[in-house]
Amino acid sequence: MMASFVLIILIIATIVTGNGFSNIDDAEVDRLLKKLNKPALKSIKSPDGDIIDCVHMKNHPIYDHPLFKNHTIQMRPSSFPKEWNNESLNTQNKSNVMTQLWRTIGRCPKNSIPIIRTRREDILQAKSIRTYGKKEPNSFPQPKPDNKPRTNRTHSYSILVTKGRFHGAKATISLWKPYVQTLREFSLAQIWLASGTSRDTNTIEAGWQADGYQDTGCYNLKCPGFVHVSQDFAIGATVSPVSSVGGAQYQIPTSIWRDTRSGHWWLKVYDNIFVGYWPSSLFTTLKDVATDVHWGGEITNNRDGSQHTTTKMGSGHFAEEGYEKASYFKNIEIVDEGEIMKPPVGTSPFMSEETCYNIKPGTDVHWGTYFFFGGPGRNAKCK
């Protein structure tokens, strides 16, 4: 399976579910393809088979959203957490840097953004046209009275949790290519920011994902809402290289924060790639502040044959195996309401199936707050 950098926006209160196609309407599929695939200034064929369309900003998918017909796109954040400076925003550590495969072939022109072209077969694999590109409802870990996430029947988590009032979060996430057993399962590593109740939860999620197919809020740019602005970073595109057991370790520094001047939630990868933002008006409970931040891994388990899945989380190795074997998050921080970026306090690990996937947190002079996580799925103790 390929590893893809995935952006997700999920507002559970507005998610709809489908029961699958009974009669496929070719005309409806054609209309959706026309809506998703915008006119391209240039198209680039990636080595992995994806077609990247360079779409002019005037045809940005955000304008498909009824709330943003007249939206003025913000090309760069207008405020940052206080610890950041101009040097850190304009330099990039070249060691262990991954590359999106399409960038080895070309680059999009100025005033355009790279968007992966949607294929007919992509849509036909979804449960329904209404749910194409959407994430399953209730896939965000919901807190129990003891503030621990509740286990979802088809989802398993190994995560670090903190609660409070936050204007952002960051971490450096190790990048792997885990095995995924079936077409309808996935394995991911990401940051969640959330606020609200189980009836009205708003979440922002960003990280990488390996899957057979994404049919499960919206992934990448399948639904309008996220405002993509980077001409060099295609959301959802395959990345290379990835980490290997006992070999080189690759990682992606990921930051999400609230721009206090515009109110938008920005996403940055590495030190200088401003991928884009979620407009503040998308949200209800997450409009001003996040109350929960989670870092870690998630898999889906379809229990084919009434057995636990063999889909791996992270590298597929348990947390106690450590560096060069287990996957990790390091330099974990939050942005508080004073716009100060600092290590989180009062964090707690949560494992929904500890014998299948686990997590081991710690602190270090160089790694700051960190944890190893992952696991193989089905084994002698996980059935």
Side-chain angles (χ1 to χ4, degrees), residues 37-38 40 42-43 51-55 108 113-117:
N37 295 327
K38 309 295 185 184
K42 175 182 178 180
S43 295
I51 303 295
I52 307 297
D53 289 326
C54 300
V55 176
C108 280
I113 55 171
I115 300 178
I116 299 174
R117 185 181 300 175

Side-chain angles (χ1 to χ4, degrees), residues 272-304:
N272 61 353
I273 301 177
F274 298 103
V275 181
Y277 61 91
W278 295 266
S280 61
S281 54
L282 278 175
F283 304 105
T284 53
T285 58
L286 193 56
K287 193 176 185 69
D288 299 315
V289 68
T291 56
D292 296 79
V293 180
H294 299 175
W295 300 262
E298 174 188 359
I299 64 94
T300 45
N301 175 18
N302 283 356
R303 294 198 63 84
D304 287 358

Side-chain angles (χ1 to χ4, degrees), residues 110-121:
K110 187 178 180 180
N111 296 322
S112 69
I113 55 171
I115 300 178
I116 299 174
R117 185 181 300 175
T118 302
R119 303 168 299 176
R120 176 177 291 271
E121 53 266 38

